[in-house]
Amino acid sequence: MSTDQAREISATGVTVDVGDATTRYLMYGLLPSWFVPGVADWVMHRRTRIEETAGTKESLIHSLMMAEVGIPIALTLRYEVNPLLLSVQLGGAAVHEATALWDVRTAVGSDREVKPVEQHIHSFLESLPFGALAALMCLHADQVKSLLRGGRGDPDAWRLVLRRRPLSRGYLAGIAAAIGTCVLLPYGEELLRCVRAGRRNRKNDKNTRSDAAHWSAAGSGKGR
């Protein structure tokens, strides 16, 4: 913002509440935009035929990663930010990062091609939790200090406290619909596809071994 713009705002009596602006950014910017790379990642998994390579194992890892991020988000939408909730958020972000490494290692080990585009998508999925957490900690610096003190002097530090100003039902319904459409539906389809492919491959392997045993026995009989 230029000096002239700042003077104009000051002259008209307009003030900018950084806390409100950051909250709106988290609610209507960062959180909704999170679904975009999530769907894009699912598209990449489908294009590289995950069901024929890493299969169910990698798909289950994806479900685990969504839970590691989804649970802290759900708690934050419902409860006040305090040392307990910050600990859950920090722990979730750390575990999510470790699981992301496991995910890529599993994909590469299965010979599924992780293309540069997918790697770039992963960079968004890994950085967004830390960006959201950093903004949230700035909004609740007092709770960060309380966490560093171990919550001493705060009787509500280590228990879940319902939001004093609950989020609107419309907003929560919109987020729930987005989660269902952009997370549960595509990744549920992926897991189902991988399970079906795994069963089909096991059945084919069983039939192949059975045929091999049959021809081996037939060959032995002729040799006699």
Side-chain angles (χ1 to χ4, degrees), residues 75-206:
L75 292 176
T76 304
L77 293 174
R78 182 68 174 167
Y79 298 98
E80 289 287 338
V81 174
N82 62 5
L84 173 59
L85 192 50
L86 284 173
S87 298
V88 172
Q89 294 162 344
L90 288 166
V95 174
H96 178 267
E97 184 65 19
T99 309
L101 295 173
W102 180 25
D103 173 44
V104 174
R105 188 180 300 113
T106 299
V108 173
S110 69
D111 293 329
R112 183 174 77 81
E113 183 182 6
V114 182
K115 298 183 177 181
V117 173
E118 183 176 346
Q119 295 177 27
H120 194 58
I121 292 170
H122 288 173
S123 70
F124 282 96
L125 292 172
E126 291 179 40
S127 61
L128 283 172
F130 292 101
L133 186 53
L136 201 65
M137 292 174 74
C138 289
L139 282 174
H140 300 278
D142 57 330
Q143 297 303 318
V144 175
K145 292 179 181 178
S146 179
L147 174 61
L148 294 175
R149 294 194 301 266
R152 290 193 298 272
D154 183 358
D156 294 330
W158 300 106
R159 70 184 188 90
L160 293 174
V161 180
L162 288 172
R163 278 180 169 270
R164 288 183 285 274
R165 296 173 56 189
L167 299 175
S168 69
R169 292 182 179 180
Y171 177 80
L172 294 176
I175 292 298
I179 291 173
T181 303
C182 301
V183 178
L184 298 181
L185 186 61
Y187 283 93
E189 183 273 339
E190 175 184 285
L191 181 58
L192 180 60
R193 181 160 33 93
C194 289
V195 170
R196 286 176 173 174
R199 290 175 178 173
R200 184 171 61 252
N201 292 337
R202 286 194 295 272
K203 183 178 180 180
N204 291 339
D205 289 343
K206 182 178 180 180

Side-chain angles (χ1 to χ4, degrees), residues 49-72:
R49 301 188 62 80
I50 184 176
E51 68 273 15
E52 301 297 338
T53 51
T56 303
K57 179 180 179 180
E58 187 183 358
S59 187
L60 286 173
I61 293 175
H62 297 157
S63 298
L64 176 61
M65 294 171 69
M66 285 180 282
E68 292 165 353
V69 171
I71 291 175

